[in-house]
């Protein structure tokens, strides 16, 4: 087939993929009229060719590609690539590389005969990064902006009742790529649905809904006629939940006069005041059904638009961001459109599952990082209740400073911001507009901000690049101070300085890479205790691991195996991150920085967030009861149920139903203790399990929402008098025990977390030799049945002195330990004991914090109690293997199995403990979970001190109070057979 040139138009002939001034050609204006109902979906298999460059000829055999979907995960030779800041090619803006994968999609479309006389429109949901449209070989249009739909009028190029060949050519790299440098996988393709729809020539071009919390409703409509000037006599009607709306006569008269002059204006307004309007908030997402109808002069309906309306106000008063007059805490997360099988394509079911999970774990806000998300997300946010910061498709990270004032990119910045606002303006969930991310600050941002403030004065806008220059400024392109990864101490100091002029909500904080999110509770304690601070958005929701076949290194594709739902890749597969597809330029596992695994399994950090965001809290003990508080902003407690649980150290547990008091938001009340605490039994903890009382759209009845807890009584003094005999050591002073295969020794090393590696701590620990400490026994003394072992551990030239005193006690041996760290060991990973057990001990029972993983600076979400787990489930399969599986505050634990005696450990005080199948060196050496070979026995760590996790891979390290200091550390524990 002979290929026709794309277009005779001289502008289009200038290689549109390298013309930043050209944002579109023949593309229709963006609007908020949803045309999905009644449209013909064109999803499915298309003929496909992948060309080496956009000007390469089409020829040869066609394969197939599924739409929507990225070709990079559909068995082509162009594979995904991950970079964070650095562009994946060296060309400077606005240029793109000569080797530029270009996908040609083609299929036949049958145009219904019933569409004769109608206006016919093609909608392409998303194309990355430049879209060229042909129909029957004729050029139709061009679009850039990889994350918003492009529409083209096909009325003059298709015939109703006939068949047309639609060709969509997608160029992967372009001038637009330089402003889509968004810390995610680079893909190419048609990643959202393609559809065809028809309207009457007289149609609704746009609808703008403004609904205020007092019940005032205004609906502004734009009307156009594809045939030319608007006909006489057209008019609008509307209804809200079946109640007719009135026309704004004064508005109509003014516009009618203007229209008589131009014949084009086509504007009308409907209005109403709804008495006692139910207000929309993230807690109470009340929605009304709005229907707008456009009528011809004879009264027949030419077009209809349906919307869901939420009555709510968003405003900034002083330094407070208010929703319906209330200062709300923003408990947010950054979210990409992502799926481990389909890349950037997400189904409505995927989106609902995302939001349901977030809702159950205490989140109330989403930042659409770093582009407008799939349209279905906003529908669900309206329905389920989320505050949305809607972010434009702009990030110029690698060339931010140059592009911010480059006049060739001015149109692109304003176009992308404006199209986002025009699409999403009617969603009550959208409370803030964002001008993009990490693109420096320049004239383009001011221009875009000016457009938004004129078009939509009902919402504030934010842009971190403007606000970071001065959090207290009042004359830039941001209405909020929205820093990223600012130390909480700096935020508190700013709020207390007297200079704060606007709300401070961190657009990114608590980087969730690997075993992370340390000090999250400290962050929120400061936010809740400091006026002027209102929260932030955790980075981020997903670990972006693409499911990869180990056999050939290719993506598993959309028809890959079923996902396990436990964070572990299916057999024969692994979660791929940067570099796993053979990329030369990449940023490794930095793509794995979410609070959920690629299969949406929650990471332990989610439970930490859930308790920090608890709706109901035990504020304190008071007399013979506790004080409960309602920490919601708009709801009472009537939709919740509760159960009390009292647990004693001796294993005794009581349960009783809890009657939650009638509390308005922010109120507290004292309630009596549900149990009389027995005198015996040791340490006592009272827990309130809060659940959903009746089915919610995001949670069935009985779903657990939080488990606030308070200690009623401290531990009893440990006892265990020495007995004679029973302790044996070998020639190196190492304990001999029938259930141990490796004796207890000192350790100061942990398999570095991502925070340890990127933050530089792991390098320093290696320089100190903590990963290769050499033990040398100094002396072994036995006296009165007790054995004292003195040893030194050397590494990096420094010496650590260690003493173990082994004393036989009833049922086992008490081990008292002391380690002296020199001054140069001022920040080590841990100080503690490691040993290994025989095989067959497959179950752990413990009294302490749990049941999920916890660490010293991430322990608020793990309640104290009696917990049981298989040993194989204690390990957390972070995409890059690292320190994991720890439990904080453990008082005692046992390891047991069906075919061998059990091993029991009692600790002198609550300690950090981990039990897994892997040594630290096993984890350190592996790049992927699938590379690990579990050891037959258990590797057990008991730590006198364990360093906090922090978030130093991107943001603050842990707080000083969670560091392991030099000096003498002492701890003791008892080992026995049970």
């Amino acid at each position: 087939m002979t290929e026709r040139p794309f277009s005779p138009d001289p502008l289009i002939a200038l290689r549109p993929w390298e013309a930043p001034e050209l944002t579109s050609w023949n593309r229709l204006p963006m609007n908020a009229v949803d045309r999905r109902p009644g449209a013909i979906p064109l999803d499915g298999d298309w003929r496909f060719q992948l060309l080496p460059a956009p000007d390469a000829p089409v020829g040869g055999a066609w394969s197939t590609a599924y739409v929507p979907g990225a070709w990079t995960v559909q068995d082509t030779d162009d594979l995904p690539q991950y970079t964070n800041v650095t562009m994946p090619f060296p060309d400077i803006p606005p240029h793109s590389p000569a080797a530029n994968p270009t996908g040609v999609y083609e299929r036949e479309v049958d145009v219904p005969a019933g569409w004769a006389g109608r206006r016919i429109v093609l909608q392409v949901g998303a194309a990355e990064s430049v879209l060229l449209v042909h129909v029957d070989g004729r050029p139709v249009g061009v679009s850039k902006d990889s994350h918003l739909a492009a529409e083209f009028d096909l009325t003059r190029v298709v015939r109703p009742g006939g068949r047309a060949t639609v060709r969509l050519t997608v160029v992967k790299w372009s001038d637009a790529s330089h402003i889509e440098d968004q810390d995610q996988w680079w893909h190419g393709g048609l990643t959202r649905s393609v559809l065809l729809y028809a309207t009457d020539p007289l149609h609704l071009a746009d609808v703008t809904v403004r609904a205020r919390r007092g019940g005032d409703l205004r609906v502004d409509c734009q009307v156009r006629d594809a045939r030319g000037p608007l006909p006489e006599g057209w008019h609008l009607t509307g209804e809200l939940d079946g109640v007719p709306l009135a026309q704004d006569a004064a508005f109509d008269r003014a516009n009618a006069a203007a229209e008589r002059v131009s014949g084009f204006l086509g504007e009308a307004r409907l209005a109403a005041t709804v008495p006692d309007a139910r207000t929309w908030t993230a807690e109470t997402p009340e929605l009304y059904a709005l229907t707008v109808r456009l009528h011809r002069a004879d009264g027949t309906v030419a077009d209809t638009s349906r919307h869901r309306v939420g009555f709510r106000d968003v405003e900034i008063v002083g330094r407070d961001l208010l929703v319906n007059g209330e200062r709300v805490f923003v408990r947010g997360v950054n979210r990409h459109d992502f799926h481990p099988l389909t890349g950037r394509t997400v189904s409505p079911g995927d989106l609902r599952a995302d939001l349901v999970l977030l809702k159950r774990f205490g989140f109330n806000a989403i930042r659409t990082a770093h582009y407008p998300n799939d349209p279905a997300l906003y529908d669900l946010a309206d329905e389920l209740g989320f505050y949305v910061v809607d972010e434009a498709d702009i990030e110029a990270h690698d060339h931010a400073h140059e592009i911010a004032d480059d006049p060739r990119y001015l149109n692109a910045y304003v176009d992308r911001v404006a199209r986002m606002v025009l699409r999403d303006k009617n969603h009550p969930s959208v409370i803030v507009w964002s001008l993009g991310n990490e693109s420096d600050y320049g004239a383009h941002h001011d221009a875009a901000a000016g457009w938004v403030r004129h078009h939509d004065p009902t919402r504030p806008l934010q842009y971190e690049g403007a606000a970071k220059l001065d959090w207290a400024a009042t004359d830039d392109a941001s209405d909020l101070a929205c820093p990223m990864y600012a130390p909480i101490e700096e935020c508190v100091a700013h709020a207390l300085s007297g200079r704060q002029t606007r709300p401070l909500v961190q657009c990114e904080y608590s980087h969730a890479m690997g075993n992370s999110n340390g000090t999250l509770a400290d962050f929120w304690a400061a936010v809740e205790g400091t006026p002027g601070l209102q929260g932030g958005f955790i980075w981020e929701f997903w670990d972006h691991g693409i499911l990869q076949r180990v056999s050939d290194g290719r993506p598993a594709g959309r028809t890959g195996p079923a996902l396990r739902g436990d964070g572990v890749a299916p057999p024969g597969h692994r979660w791929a991150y940067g570099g796993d597809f053979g990329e030369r330029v990449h940023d490794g596992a930095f793509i794995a920085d979410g609070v959920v695994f690629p299969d949406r399994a929650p990471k332990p950090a989610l439970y930490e967030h859930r308790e920090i965001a608890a709706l109901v809290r035990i504020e304190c003990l008071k007399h013979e009861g506790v004080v409960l508080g309602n920490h919601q902003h708009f709801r009472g407690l009537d939709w919740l149920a509760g159960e009390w649980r009292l647990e004693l150290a001796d294993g005794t547990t009581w349960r009783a139903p809890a009657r939650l008091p009638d509390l308005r938001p922010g109120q507290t009340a004292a309630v009596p203790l549900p149990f009389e605490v027995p005198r015996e039994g040791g340490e006592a903890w009272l827990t309130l399990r809060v659940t959903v009382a009746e089915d919610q759209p995001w949670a069935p009845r009985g779903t657990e929402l939080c488990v606030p807890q308070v200690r009623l009584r401290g531990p009893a003094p440990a006892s265990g008098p020495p007995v004679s005999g029973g302790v044996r050591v070998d020639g190196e002073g190492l304990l001999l025990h029938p259930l141990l295969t490796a004796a207890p020794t000192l350790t100061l090393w942990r398999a570095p977390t991502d925070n340890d590696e990127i933050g530089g701590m792991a390098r320093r620990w290696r320089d100190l030799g903590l990963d290769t400490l050499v033990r040398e026994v100094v002396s072994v003394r036995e006296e009165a049945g007790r054995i004292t072992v003195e040893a030194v551990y050397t590494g990096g030239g420094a010496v650590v002195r260690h003493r173990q005193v082994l004393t036989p006690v009833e049922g086992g041996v008490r081990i008292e330990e002391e380690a002296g760290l020199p001054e140069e060991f001022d920040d080590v990973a841990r100080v503690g004991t490691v040993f290994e057990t025989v095989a067959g001990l497959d179950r752990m029972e413990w009294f302490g914090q749990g049941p999920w993983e916890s660490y010293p600076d991430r322990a608020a979400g793990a309640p104290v109690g009696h917990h049981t787990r298989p040993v194989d489930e204690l390990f957390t399969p972070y995409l890059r293997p690292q320190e994991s599986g720890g439990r904080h505050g453990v008082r005692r634990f046992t390891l047991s199995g069906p075919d061998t005696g059990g091993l029991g450990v009692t600790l002198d005080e609550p300690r950090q403990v981990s039990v897994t199948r892997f040594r630290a060196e096993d984890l350190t050496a592996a790049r992927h979970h699938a590379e690990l070979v579990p050891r037959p026995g258990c590797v057990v760590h008991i730590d006198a001190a364990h360093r906090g996790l922090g978030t130093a891979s991107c943001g603050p390290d842990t707080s000083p109070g969670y560091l392991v200091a030099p000096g003498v550390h002492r701890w003791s524990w008892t080992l026995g057979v049970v």
Side-chain angles (χ1 to χ4, degrees), residues 32 64 102 195 205 208 218 263 362 417 611 696 705 891 908 962:
T64 61
T102 300
L195 54 85
T208 301
R218 194 180 89 186
V417 172
E611 295 311 311
Q696 301 290 310
L705 299 183
R891 281 78 165 157
D908 58 339
Y962 299 112

Side-chain angles (χ1 to χ4, degrees), residues 150-365:
E151 294 190 340
F152 303 92
D153 191 330
L154 304 188
T155 309
R156 297 183 180 181
V157 295
V158 298
R159 179 175 57 83
R163 170 170 285 195
T165 299
V166 175
R167 173 176 290 183
L168 305 179
T169 302
V170 181
V171 184
K172 183 176 183 180
W173 305 125
S174 71
D175 58 86
S177 301
H178 292 285
I179 58 172
E180 295 179 355
D181 182 16
Q182 293 155 325
D183 188 12
Q184 59 177 335
W185 291 101
W186 292 96
H187 288 294
L190 299 169
T191 54
R192 293 182 190 156
S193 291
V194 178
L195 54 85
L196 194 70
Y197 69 86
T199 72
D200 193 278
L202 181 68
H203 62 279
L204 288 164
D206 199 8
V207 175
T208 301
V209 179
R210 290 181 180 168
R212 306 297 300 274
R213 64 172 160 142
D216 291 336
L217 174 67
R218 194 180 89 186
V219 184
D220 289 335
C221 303
Q222 289 184 355
V223 178
R224 297 289 183 266
D225 195 311
R227 296 164 297 200
L230 293 170
E232 294 286 340
W234 68 268
H235 59 283
L236 291 169
T237 62
E239 58 186 42
L240 187 74
D241 275 3
V243 178
L245 306 179
Q247 289 189 314
D248 189 322
F251 180 88
D252 289 351
R253 283 193 298 272
N255 282 278
E259 188 178 333
R260 282 194 294 273
V261 175
S262 68
F264 172 74
L265 193 63
E267 294 183 356
R269 176 176 293 169
L270 302 171
T273 299
V274 178
D276 301 320
R278 306 184 307 274
T279 54
W280 186 97
T281 71
E283 295 174 14
T284 59
E286 298 282 356
L287 295 170
Y288 291 75
L290 169 68
T291 302
V292 177
R293 296 184 179 89
L294 170 62
H295 299 266
R296 306 179 186 91
D298 63 3
T300 57
V301 176
D303 201 2
T304 301
S305 184
R306 291 180 171 84
H307 305 262
R308 293 192 299 181
V309 174
F311 288 89
R312 65 105 182 89
D313 288 343
V314 181
E315 58 187 332
I316 292 176
V317 177
R319 56 182 187 168
D320 293 329
L321 173 66
L322 307 180
V323 175
N324 293 339
E326 292 291 330
R327 178 178 181 269
V328 298
F329 287 123
V330 178
R331 303 185 187 276
V333 70
N334 287 274
R335 184 195 168 278
H336 280 283
D337 279 346
F338 169 78
H339 192 279
L341 297 176
T342 58
R344 198 124 38 235
T345 299
V346 290
S347 69
D350 293 332
L351 292 166
R352 179 176 286 274
D354 290 355
L355 269 58
V356 163
L357 182 71
L358 287 170
K359 195 84 174 177
R360 293 180 184 180
F361 280 91
F363 291 91
N364 67 358

Side-chain angles (χ1 to χ4, degrees), residues 537-562:
F537 296 84
I538 288 176
W539 187 267
E540 63 162 312
F541 180 54
W542 287 102
D543 270 358
H544 291 222
I546 293 176
L547 191 65
Q548 181 186 44
R549 299 190 295 259
V550 176
S551 59
D552 60 8
R554 288 184 168 272
R558 69 182 185 87
T559 58

Side-chain angles (χ1 to χ4, degrees), residues 433-442 445 461-468 476-480 482:
W433 302 116
S434 169
L435 302 180
N437 184 66
E438 292 180 319
S439 300
D440 205 67
Y441 181 39
H445 299 99
L461 57 86
Q462 73 173 47
Y463 178 58
E464 181 267 341
K468 75 178 180 182
D476 57 33
S478 187
D479 298 319
L480 286 82
C482 47

Side-chain angles (χ1 to χ4, degrees), residues 425-660:
K425 60 191 172 185
N426 294 337
H427 289 282
S429 56
V430 177
I431 65 167
V432 177
W433 302 116
S434 169
L435 302 180
N437 184 66
E438 292 180 319
S439 300
D440 205 67
Y441 181 39
H444 305 346
H445 299 99
D446 288 332
W451 189 94
V452 175
R453 285 169 170 154
H454 177 83
H455 185 81
D456 181 23
T458 69
R459 295 176 175 93
L461 57 86
Q462 73 173 47
Y463 178 58
E464 181 267 341
K468 75 178 180 182
L469 301 179
D470 181 0
W471 291 354
T474 57
D475 58 351
D476 57 33
S478 187
D479 298 319
L480 286 82
C482 47
M484 51 177 63
Y485 310 110
I488 190 60
E489 298 82 5
E490 293 182 14
C491 297
V492 171
H494 174 67
L496 300 178
S497 68
R499 296 185 62 250
Q500 187 178 7
T501 59
R502 49 189 172 182
L504 194 154
V505 180
Q506 292 213 41
C507 67
E508 296 177 20
Y509 82 103
S510 195
H511 194 249
M513 186 177 181
N515 192 358
S516 187
N517 301 105
T519 71
L520 189 62
D522 302 313
F523 175 93
W524 273 100
V527 168
E528 294 185 4
T530 310
L533 306 184
Q534 283 189 247
F537 296 84
I538 288 176
W539 187 267
E540 63 162 312
F541 180 54
W542 287 102
D543 270 358
H544 291 222
I546 293 176
L547 191 65
Q548 181 186 44
R549 299 190 295 259
V550 176
S551 59
D552 60 8
R554 288 184 168 272
R558 69 182 185 87
T559 58
L563 304 180
R564 293 165 50 119
D566 59 0
V568 177
H573 296 77
R574 68 181 185 181
W575 303 124
Y577 52 77
D580 285 336
F581 293 109
E583 318 99 290
R584 183 180 60 83
V585 178
H586 65 84
D587 283 297
F590 208 70
I591 194 69
D593 50 10
V595 292
V596 301
F597 289 100
D599 60 359
R600 206 183 287 107
K603 287 185 180 178
L606 266 189
Y607 293 94
E608 182 84 349
H609 184 274
R610 188 184 74 169
E611 295 311 311
I612 292 167
L615 311 177
V616 183
R617 303 184 194 176
I618 300 175
E619 308 289 348
C620 61
L621 289 169
K622 185 175 183 181
H623 304 305
E624 297 300 316
V626 295
V627 175
L628 295 184
N630 178 0
H631 282 255
Q632 300 173 99
H633 295 294
F634 299 99
R635 299 186 81 174
L637 303 184
D638 54 310
W639 66 286
L640 301 172
E643 180 190 64
W644 292 109
R645 184 171 68 241
L646 176 65
E647 290 187 88
L648 304 182
D650 67 0
T652 305
T653 301
W654 284 274
R655 286 181 171 83
R659 183 179 179 277
L660 299 179

